[in-house]
């Protein structure tokens, strides 16, 4: 240590005490009085052991995170920047940048408030330069296995997201859907990190892109990993719009020829399945703005019209007209087949599951 520079404790080293017999490495010389500069990423346990070995030596530990560059805004629907037709044509770049800046600011805030999560937040969000890189890193770690390595998955997700602006725009729309429709979703970063329904849809978007590129074995492998990790089974051929919320998501099954429109909300244990064993177009088609309650089952090549609502636990085997509510097993239209009750709101966005009860004369306890 003849140099005047402070001793550097690298991320892969620990400074053993003179009495330690655990390490075959030579005992490092005592640091100079100038102190020890610790590289970011060194475990706290290693730093504490080094402090015990060298009492009186100052250890300089830099912060894990960079200083916040912007405060976290109080989010309301009115505060979200409007999306113009130009933004949509360009993949919603401005909207993506705004959401990403919010996610990074939220992560910095949470890292300061909860040091136990600081390394996780830094490696998953704060250290990345874009939403696509952060999401690719997170999905790669979530879905990796002994045969599907995280580095392979990271490159796969990142290449797909980087080359397809429509997928990135759909990702942002899905984040907004969870943030504004689910009162339990406290931040965009919470959705990105912890909402398995959101993560399952993003993984499916990549699997679907692989499917249409005729890379079917890899897309099916991704489907299998999604089912294992997230308990969500979506065939890679299924077509899903943007602004889609899988709330809770456990047990959701979406078949091969199913189509899900924009701004749809689907609760847990929902099945969009086929009937029989014949091939062809055999799964449901879900219109824009539809709400499907928990445990609902929709079977066959039936159409759920725009703005329709399917009550929890219902079994739907025939078409449901737009802006109506189907409830029961088998499902019936609220108000009757001839003059069904029509609602004015968009249930996929309002998340109103029970207003139909006042119009359902058969509902008794």
């Amino acid at each position: 240590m003849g140099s005047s520079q402070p001793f550097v404790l690298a991320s892969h080293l620990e400074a053993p005490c003179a009495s330690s017999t655990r390490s075959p490495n030579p005992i490092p010389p005592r640091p100079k009085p100038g102190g020890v500069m610790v590289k970011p990423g060194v475990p706290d346990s290693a730093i504490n052991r080094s402090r015990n070995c060298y009492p009186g030596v100052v250890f300089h530990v830099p912060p894990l995170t960079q200083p916040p560059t912007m405060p976290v805004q109080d989010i309301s629907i009115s505060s979200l920047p409007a999306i113009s037709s130009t933004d949509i044509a360009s993949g919603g770049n401005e909207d993506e940048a705004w959401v990403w800046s919010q996610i990074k600011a939220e992560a910095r805030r949470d890292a300061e408030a909860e040091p136990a999560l600081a390394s996780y937040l830094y490696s998953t969000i704060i250290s990345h330069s874009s939403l696509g890189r952060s999401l690719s890193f997170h999905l790669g770690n979530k879905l990796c296995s002994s045969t599907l390595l995280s580095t392979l998955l990271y490159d796969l997700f990142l290449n797909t997201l980087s080359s397809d602006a429509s997928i990135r725009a759909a990702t942002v729309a899905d984040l907004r859907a969870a943030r504004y429709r689910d009162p339990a979703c406290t931040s965009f970063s919470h959705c990105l990190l912890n909402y398995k329904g959101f993560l399952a849809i993003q993984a499916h978007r990549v699997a679907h892109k692989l499917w249409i590129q005729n890379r079917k074995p890899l897309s099916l492998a991704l489907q299998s990993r999604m089912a294992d990790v997230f308990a969500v089974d979506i065939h890679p051929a299924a077509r899903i719009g943007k602004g889609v919320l899988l709330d809770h998501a456990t047990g959701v099954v979406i078949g091969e020829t199913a189509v899900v429109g924009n701004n749809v909300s689907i609760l847990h244990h929902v099945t969009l399945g086929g009937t029989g064993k014949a091939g062809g177009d055999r799964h449901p088609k879900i219109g824009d703005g539809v709400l499907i309650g928990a445990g609902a089952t929709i079977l066959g090549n039936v159409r759920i019209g725009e703005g329709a609502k399917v009550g929890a636990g219902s079994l739907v085997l025939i078409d449901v007209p737009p802006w109506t509510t189907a409830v029961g097993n088998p499902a019936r239209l609220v108000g009757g087949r001839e003059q069904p009750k029509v609602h004015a709101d968009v249930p996929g966005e309002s998340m109103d599951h029970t207003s139909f009860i006042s119009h359902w004369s058969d509902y008794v306890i």
Side-chain angles (χ1 to χ4, degrees):
M1 298 294 291
S3 170
S4 61
Q5 296 296 322
F7 178 79
V8 175
L9 181 63
S11 60
H12 62 286
L13 297 178
E14 295 184 10
C17 297
S19 61
S20 174
T21 59
R22 294 184 301 115
S23 173
N25 297 328
I27 299 173
R30 182 179 178 86
K32 299 181 82 65
V36 172
M37 181 64 70
V38 181
K39 285 187 177 180
V42 176
D44 291 342
S45 58
I47 298 172
N48 291 333
R49 281 193 293 271
S50 299
R51 285 188 173 121
N52 292 333
C53 291
Y54 302 123
V57 176
V58 177
F59 285 77
H60 304 286
V61 183
L64 267 178
T65 62
Q66 302 173 3
T69 57
M70 64 169 291
V72 180
Q73 299 180 16
D74 291 331
I75 304 299
S76 64
I77 293 178
S78 60
S79 70
L80 190 67
I83 304 176
S84 65
S85 57
T86 304
D87 291 335
I88 294 173
S90 64
N93 291 334
E94 291 184 5
D95 195 34
E96 179 183 347
W98 184 88
V99 170
W100 176 236
S101 68
Q102 285 294 301
I103 291 172
K104 292 196 78 170
E106 292 163 358
R108 291 190 183 101
R109 175 200 63 193
D110 292 344
E112 292 179 1
E114 183 49 79
L117 294 176
S119 294
Y120 171 59
L121 292 168
Y122 182 84
S123 63
T124 309
I125 294 177
I126 299 170
S127 65
H128 296 282
S129 59
S130 68
L131 175 59
R133 288 182 178 276
S134 174
L135 179 60
S136 299
F137 178 85
H138 193 36
L139 284 175
N141 284 326
K142 284 282 190 180
L143 297 176
C144 67
S145 67
S146 58
T147 52
L148 280 175
L149 301 183
S150 60
T151 50
L152 181 151
L153 292 176
Y154 172 78
D155 289 339
L156 177 66
F157 289 128
L158 183 58
N159 289 337
T160 303
L161 290 168
S162 300
S163 63
D164 195 327
S166 66
I167 293 181
R168 298 197 305 273
T171 297
V172 172
D174 295 344
L175 280 166
R176 293 171 56 193
R179 179 68 182 89
Y180 299 135
R181 295 179 207 164
D182 184 0
C185 185
T186 57
S187 65
F188 288 112
S189 61
H190 175 45
C191 176
L192 173 64
L193 294 173
N194 304 322
Y195 269 42
K196 68 177 185 178
F198 167 78
L199 294 171
I201 292 177
Q202 309 323 306
H204 165 76
R205 296 193 192 284
V206 175
H208 180 69
K209 185 69 177 287
L210 294 172
W211 182 270
I212 62 180
Q213 291 174 341
N214 207 32
R215 301 176 68 183
K216 295 182 178 180
L218 183 53
S219 65
L220 291 169
L222 276 182
Q223 176 196 3
S224 176
R225 287 302 297 157
M226 289 163 49
D228 290 344
V229 174
F230 301 131
V232 176
D233 192 357
I234 308 176
H235 193 283
R239 291 179 287 160
I240 296 180
K242 61 183 181 180
V244 174
L245 171 63
L246 297 187
D247 198 0
H248 302 290
T250 300
V252 169
V253 177
I254 301 178
E256 179 182 6
T257 60
V259 178
V260 177
N262 299 323
N263 301 319
V264 171
S265 293
I266 298 175
L267 276 290
H268 46 289
H269 292 292
V270 165
T271 297
L272 306 181
T275 58
K277 59 182 182 179
D281 194 357
R282 62 195 186 279
H283 294 97
K285 311 297 182 283
I286 311 300
D288 294 347
V290 168
L291 172 63
I292 305 178
T297 299
I298 305 172
L299 300 178
N301 187 15
V302 300
R303 295 186 177 275
I304 310 301
E306 178 183 1
K309 185 188 307 184
V310 177
S314 299
L315 172 63
V316 179
L317 302 173
I318 60 175
D319 292 355
V320 176
W323 308 106
T324 62
T325 301
V327 185
N329 185 354
R332 292 173 293 162
L333 294 178
V334 173
R337 180 188 297 271
E338 301 301 325
Q339 292 184 323
K341 176 66 179 178
V342 176
H343 47 254
D345 67 323
V346 180
E349 297 179 1
S350 69
M351 303 296 290
D352 178 5
H353 292 268
T354 59
S355 62
F356 65 86
I357 291 176
S358 62
H359 305 285
W360 193 18
S361 58
D362 293 341
Y363 182 76
V364 293
I365 296 179

